[in-house]
């Protein structure tokens, strides 16, 4: 009887040690995860989400090879938080891309000051619309499932208990920032083109009729044109953004071409 209890205690300790190691990485990731880790989400809800992800991911992950000791616990916490933050920052940069695209589009169409404080992070109305639409679309298409798969596969690229190379992480980070801003400029390109055409047409009209106050005539035109363009292009922009996000989640540490 005592031998069976001892074996049961060993199995329980191993499961708790494995679950703790997975929870540390998952909790760091959830704190930066789009939709689940937003500032408006209460901390208790984030804790529940991290526990739910842990229950899903832990059975598919090998237990730590290091024994459960005082020094090992601190090392696991340090390395797993680092790995979770790396993955979380990589995904969070896609939200930055949407915010940047919205800011560029709003500045191009004279809509930068409308509803600027609607989010926890002050962004123009276009950025708010794109971010909310992108978050809703990502969650509706199974963001939680893809993130679970990403975390399970991340243990092959970022093994448990091993600190990643600083040179590799810095190179990867520069590539992700470059991809985020490239994606933002790509998404905002229609609005920039509209702004250029508007300003060229305004200059031609002003040259032809200097007495006409073209600014008062053209301001409503660029505002209405920007809103109409947003209505027409938002589905394509968000689908392009979602495809880029899914490609990153499928292989988060792949070098950017």
């Amino acid at each position: 009887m005592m031998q069976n209890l001892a074996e049961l205690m060993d199995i329980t300790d191993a499961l708790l040690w494995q679950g703790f190691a997975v929870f540390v990485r998952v909790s760091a990731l959830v704190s930066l995860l789009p939709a689940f880790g937003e500032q408006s989400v209460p901390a208790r809800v984030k804790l529940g989400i991290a526990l739910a992800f842990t229950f899903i991911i832990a059975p598919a992950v090998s237990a730590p090879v290091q024994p459960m000791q005082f020094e090992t616990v601190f090392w696991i916490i340090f390395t797993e938080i680092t790995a979770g933050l790396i993955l979380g920052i990589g995904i969070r940069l896609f939200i930055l891309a949407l915010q940047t695209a919205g800011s560029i589009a709003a500045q191009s169409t004279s809509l930068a000051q409308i509803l600027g404080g609607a989010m926890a992070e002050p962004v123009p109305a276009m950025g708010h619309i794109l971010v909310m639409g992108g978050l809703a679309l990502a969650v509706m298409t199974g963001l939680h499932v893809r993130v679970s798969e990403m975390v399970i596969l991340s243990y092959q690229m970022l093994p448990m208990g091993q600190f990643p190379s600083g040179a590799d992480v810095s190179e990867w980070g520069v590539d992700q920032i470059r991809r985020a801003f490239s994606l933002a400029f790509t998404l905002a390109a229609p609005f920039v083109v509209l702004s250029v055409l508007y300003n060229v047409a305004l200059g031609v009209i002003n040259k032809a009729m200097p007495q006409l106050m073209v600014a008062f005539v053209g301001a409503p035109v660029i505002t209405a044109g920007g809103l109409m363009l947003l209505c027409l292009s938002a589905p394509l922009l968000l689908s392009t953004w979602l495809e880029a996000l899914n490609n990153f989640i499928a292989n988060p540490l792949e070098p950017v071409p």
Side-chain angles (χ1 to χ4, degrees):
M1 183 64 180
M2 296 300 295
Q3 183 179 0
N4 293 335
L5 289 176
E7 293 178 356
L8 181 61
M9 288 297 296
D10 293 338
I11 296 174
T12 304
D13 291 341
L15 292 176
L16 290 176
W17 179 226
Q18 178 184 1
F20 171 77
V22 174
F23 175 77
V24 174
R25 178 176 295 200
V26 168
S27 59
L29 171 62
V30 168
S31 65
L32 296 172
L33 194 63
F36 300 103
E38 302 297 328
Q39 295 183 10
S40 57
V41 178
R44 293 180 180 178
V45 177
K46 294 180 182 178
L47 178 60
I49 294 172
L51 288 174
F53 274 114
T54 302
F55 288 135
I56 295 172
I57 296 169
V61 176
S62 301
V65 296
Q66 298 89 345
M68 186 170 56
Q69 298 176 353
F70 183 78
E71 298 84 0
T72 308
V73 170
F74 279 95
W75 178 250
I76 287 292
I77 291 175
F78 182 65
T79 55
E80 294 305 294
I81 286 180
T82 302
L85 290 177
I86 289 174
L87 299 175
I89 290 173
I91 299 179
R92 198 70 196 175
L93 285 174
F94 285 88
I95 303 299
L96 174 64
L98 278 181
Q99 294 176 347
T100 305
S103 299
I104 296 173
Q107 291 286 350
S108 302
T109 55
S110 302
L111 293 171
Q113 303 301 324
I114 301 178
L115 301 178
M119 299 182 62
E121 301 176 4
V123 294
M126 283 190 177
H128 177 67
I129 293 172
L130 291 177
V131 170
M132 290 296 102
L135 293 178
L137 185 61
V139 173
M140 289 172 59
T141 54
L143 176 64
H144 56 292
V145 177
R146 293 187 175 90
V147 169
S148 300
E149 295 174 352
M150 180 190 70
V151 176
I152 293 173
L153 294 176
S154 69
Y155 286 95
Q156 301 177 5
M157 300 172 286
L158 298 171
M160 185 180 297
Q162 296 185 16
F163 195 74
S165 171
D168 294 339
V169 172
S170 62
E171 182 179 357
W172 174 86
V174 172
D175 288 341
Q176 300 311 312
I177 294 174
R178 176 168 57 86
R179 170 162 45 186
F181 280 96
S182 175
L183 179 61
F185 291 132
T186 301
L187 297 178
F191 300 92
V192 176
V193 172
L194 175 64
S195 176
V196 171
L197 294 177
Y198 162 77
N199 285 285
V200 170
L202 210 64
V204 173
I205 295 173
N206 188 33
K207 190 69 174 179
M209 292 183 294
Q211 298 81 9
L212 179 65
M213 300 295 293
V214 292
F216 292 100
V217 177
V221 174
I222 187 62
T223 301
L227 293 176
M228 292 180 60
L229 183 60
L230 176 64
C231 180
L232 295 174
S233 63
L236 179 60
L237 299 183
L238 292 179
S239 62
T240 302
W241 174 83
L242 181 63
E243 182 181 358
L245 176 63
N246 291 336
N247 291 336
F248 171 80
I249 293 177
N251 194 353
L253 299 183
E254 180 182 7
V256 180

